[in-house]
Amino acid sequence: MAKLSQEDLLAQFEEMTLIELSEFVKAFEDKFDVTAAAAVAAAPAGPAAAAEAVEEQDEFDVILTGAGEKKIQVIKVVRELTSLGLKEAKDLVDGAPKPVLEKVAKDAAEKAAESLKAAGASVEVK
């Protein structure tokens, strides 16, 4: 069997349906005892598949938009959520709007936003 170039392989993958590509990936993983999840996301599968492959946002930023009435409570929560010292947390709260957490999972972002809101801060999750 002749060795295929990377371009030839990509051309073959481009012609495959998502189901065929999924079956190929499973066979590849079984044969070589690897996980190819990242490779599947990066492999081109044609324009129709590209529209289907749009994923839900999985990284969120928690942005403090205002400290509210209970600034000291908000500073305490910021210190709990981050590893900032007292001065850094106070500067962050005083300089609002500023990001408190960046690129965190959805559940962590929601939990942080709830904690900050409970302390009296106004928060935005992006």
Side-chain angles (χ1 to χ4, degrees):
M1 178 186 229
K3 185 175 179 180
L4 297 174
S5 70
Q6 186 175 8
E7 291 80 24
D8 293 336
L9 284 171
L10 290 175
Q12 290 296 316
F13 289 141
E14 227 172 25
E15 295 174 10
M16 296 174 96
T17 65
L18 282 177
I19 294 172
E20 292 170 333
L21 189 57
S22 175
E23 291 171 354
F24 169 77
V25 169
K26 287 177 187 173
F28 185 90
E29 289 175 339
D30 292 342
K31 171 101 175 160
F32 296 105
D33 193 29
V34 295
T35 302
V40 172
E52 293 176 20
V54 173
E55 293 184 22
E56 185 178 327
Q57 180 181 357
D58 59 351
E59 291 183 338
F60 296 85
D61 295 341
V62 179
I63 300 170
L64 178 69
T65 56
E69 297 285 322
K70 301 176 183 175
K71 188 168 139 181
I72 293 172
Q73 295 298 327
V74 174
I75 292 171
K76 287 180 180 179
V77 173
V78 168
R79 289 192 66 204
E80 290 173 11
L81 295 172
T82 64
S83 59
L84 295 176
L86 181 60
K87 181 179 180 346
E88 292 84 4
K90 181 183 179 304
D91 290 345
L92 187 145
V93 171
D94 287 340
K98 292 241 179 164
V100 176
L101 298 173
E102 294 178 312
K103 297 183 180 179
V104 295
K106 183 177 183 175
D107 58 338
E110 288 174 351
K111 187 175 179 183
E114 287 175 23
S115 298
L116 287 164
K117 286 178 183 176
S122 53
V123 181
E124 188 175 303
V125 177
K126 289 186 180 182

